[in-house]
Amino acid sequence: MSKLFIVSTGPGDAQLVAPRAHKAIAASSDLVAYGLYLDILGDVCDGKTHHDLPLGEEIGRARLALNLAASGKTTSLISSGDIGIYAMATLVFELLDMQLEGKENHPQWLDVELEVIPGISAMQAGASRVGAMLGHDFCTISLSDLLTPWETILKRIEKAGEGDFVVSFYNPVSKKRDWQLNKARDILLQHRPASTPVLIGRQLTRPDEHVRIIRLDELDAKDVDMFTMVSVGNSESRHIINGTKEWVYTPRGYKKKL
């Protein structure tokens, strides 16, 4: 039987990898991933055939995983965070969709059994580090314009501001793209207080993790890199301090009952 596991490994802490992900990897003969993800997983990847394709080769990884599975090798396609959020799962299904439309010539792909295994995203990991930031309606927006036009991203930021969503920004900056985050900040400042709490979480759950809580008007792209998660509270999000401990939560409305 042809089998492809589409596996999430979580934000980086080995203890946050789901048991189902470990089971899928153990059942696989071949692992397809960016090498760093396999390094993080550690011993569970021993004895498997590794197919390490670099960043930027996402299409190649998805094609390779489908081809390996179609050839009869139980395969795991692996990505960090949740593989269905800005990650590889959507690309697998896009390729299958193209095959069904006759735009690909790989009919064997359609016989592959697929199983998507969810994981903890960076957004969830960051929220847990500061308390309950995602306690009410929220959205995610990627600031990368490599695949999505900036005009579309801009419209989504504006609507998120108007809708008063907690907003988590993926891909906030890169080496060649360092201005969009400040533009997003300026848009959100039109709809929520300057004091709105913002989570800056770098390398979340990993050994060199660094988490800060700042005000929205203090957010600056120069303090963020491609390994950073940025989450902005809504107009009601609260930053509370208890001695040396500080937390952020977004109330759901229980105050009326309390």
Side-chain angles (χ1 to χ4, degrees):
M1 178 182 66
S2 298
K3 179 82 177 195
L4 175 58
F5 295 104
I6 303 172
V7 182
S8 308
T9 64
D13 185 339
Q15 296 184 61
L16 295 179
V17 181
R20 187 71 191 91
H22 280 293
K23 187 175 180 180
I25 292 168
S28 299
S29 62
D30 290 70
L31 310 178
V32 180
Y34 171 51
L36 175 63
Y37 304 151
L38 301 179
D39 294 341
I40 290 173
L41 285 167
D43 295 346
V44 70
C45 298
D46 291 350
K48 313 294 181 182
T49 301
H50 294 191
H51 304 270
D52 176 4
L53 277 71
L55 292 177
E57 294 293 331
E58 287 77 16
I59 294 175
R61 265 183 259 149
R63 287 183 179 277
L64 176 59
L66 283 166
N67 286 333
L68 288 168
S71 73
K73 296 179 179 179
T74 300
T75 302
S76 283
L77 175 62
I78 299 169
S79 186
S80 64
D82 186 302
I83 199 165
I85 300 176
Y86 301 119
M88 295 296 300
T90 185
L91 187 47
V92 170
F93 290 102
E94 189 168 358
L95 288 170
L96 291 175
D97 193 11
M98 292 177 68
Q99 175 60 41
L100 288 167
E101 292 180 343
K103 298 176 181 178
E104 288 281 345
N105 187 27
H106 300 279
Q108 67 274 19
W109 289 350
L110 301 179
D111 296 324
V112 174
E113 181 182 349
L114 303 172
E115 182 177 344
V116 181
I117 299 171
I120 297 171
S121 70
M123 170 185 65
Q124 293 168 288
S128 74
R129 282 296 192 251
V130 297
M133 195 164 193
L134 304 179
H136 208 335
D137 296 338
F138 62 89
C139 68
T140 66
I141 298 175
S142 172
L143 293 184
S144 172
D145 57 0
L146 289 175
L147 301 175
T148 305
W150 172 244
E151 292 75 17
T152 300
I153 297 170
L154 191 63
K155 184 184 298 184
R156 291 172 179 169
I157 298 168
E158 290 170 344
K159 295 303 180 182
E162 290 175 12
D164 201 25
F165 288 92
V166 175
V167 185
S168 292
F169 290 112
Y170 281 71
N171 306 307
V173 301
S174 69
K175 292 180 179 178
K176 298 181 179 179
R177 182 177 48 77
D178 61 358
W179 58 271
Q180 286 98 327
L181 181 61
N182 288 352
K183 178 63 176 177
R185 172 204 63 204
D186 292 343
I187 293 172
L188 293 181
L189 279 169
Q190 297 174 19
H191 300 281
R192 58 196 68 178
S195 59
T196 299
V198 176
L199 159 70
I200 305 292
R202 189 177 189 278
Q203 296 283 34
L204 288 162
T205 79
R206 299 177 184 180
D208 53 345
E209 175 186 86
H210 183 65
V211 174
R212 290 191 300 141
I213 301 169
I214 63 173
R215 293 165 48 106
L216 179 55
D217 61 355
E218 296 173 333
L219 178 59
D220 196 305
K222 67 178 176 55
D223 300 322
V224 174
D225 64 17
M226 64 184 72
F227 301 106
T228 304
M229 179 85 224
V230 178
S231 291
V232 181
N234 72 9
S235 64
E236 297 186 349
S237 295
R238 298 274 295 157
H239 180 197
I240 59 177
I241 300 173
N242 178 22
T244 61
K245 299 177 181 178
E246 54 182 328
W247 307 99
V248 175
Y249 76 97
T250 302
R252 287 188 62 197
Y254 287 113
K255 188 173 183 179
K256 297 175 183 177
K257 295 185 177 182
L258 293 171

